[in-house]
Amino acid sequence: MANYNLKINGKTHSVEVEDDTPLLWVLRDHLGLVGTKFSCGIAQCGACTVHLNGNATFSCVTPVSSVGNAEVTTIEGLSQDGDHPVQKAWEEIDVAQCGYCQAGQIMTAAAFLKQNPNPSMEEIDNAMNRNICRCGTYHKIREAVAQAAKAK
């Protein structure tokens, strides 16, 4: 086991885990940050998306040993009061159905809009295509991302 000092949501956390422990399990099991969800475990669905230095990253396949000094942001750290433009748009458009994938969807959208604040609908579709929604709310997801882009 190794000791890691991780910068997560603006705070430093010390954890002792195996080098190959996925960041997802460090977040959920060791730090109690359960907003990041486990779904496929093979980087195919996006439910586990977090930001690593602002980039959307699948935490289920990111070994803790690879995080280093990167700043990790989870859904809990995206905004203090749930008032990030993407979160507000999600609420206004009423995107969530079962809600399981939504944290990953929101984290992907937030990272994308930071890099591309004025996207076309095609760019939104391409950016969000690695996140799966079993409820099929893709039209609402697309609409919410477009609305969040306008709100910025």
Side-chain angles (χ1 to χ4, degrees), residues 94-115:
D94 195 25
V95 173
Q97 284 191 24
C98 85
Y100 198 81
C101 71
Q102 298 308 299
Q105 299 275 2
I106 289 168
M107 295 303 286
T108 298
F112 166 66
L113 290 176
K114 190 170 185 178
Q115 294 173 359

Side-chain angles (χ1 to χ4, degrees), residues 17-142:
V17 294
E18 297 292 334
D19 293 342
D20 61 349
T21 303
L23 178 58
L24 172 66
W25 298 119
V26 172
L27 295 170
R28 292 183 59 81
D29 293 350
H30 296 273
L31 301 175
L33 296 169
V34 296
T36 305
K37 303 300 183 201
F38 171 75
S39 185
C40 72
I42 57 172
Q44 295 298 304
C45 72
C48 68
T49 302
V50 298
H51 295 172
L52 225 56
N53 288 334
N55 297 310
T57 303
F58 293 151
S59 64
C60 72
V61 294
T62 302
V64 69
S65 59
S66 72
V67 174
N69 291 323
E71 176 67 39
V72 178
T73 305
T74 68
I75 189 71
E76 292 93 344
L78 189 59
S79 70
Q80 285 288 84
D81 302 314
D83 61 356
H84 186 281
V86 175
Q87 291 170 309
K88 289 168 67 174
W90 239 250
E91 207 170 300
E92 290 169 15
I93 301 296
D94 195 25
V95 173
Q97 284 191 24
C98 85
Y100 198 81
C101 71
Q102 298 308 299
Q105 299 275 2
I106 289 168
M107 295 303 286
T108 298
F112 166 66
L113 290 176
K114 190 170 185 178
Q115 294 173 359
N116 185 352
N118 191 23
S120 68
M121 287 301 197
E122 183 179 355
E123 290 170 323
I124 292 171
D125 291 343
N126 288 336
M128 300 303 296
N129 74 357
R130 292 197 62 204
N131 289 70
I132 295 173
C133 174
R134 300 274 319 240
C135 298
T137 64
Y138 298 111
H139 64 288
K140 286 187 172 188
I141 291 167
R142 181 183 205 222

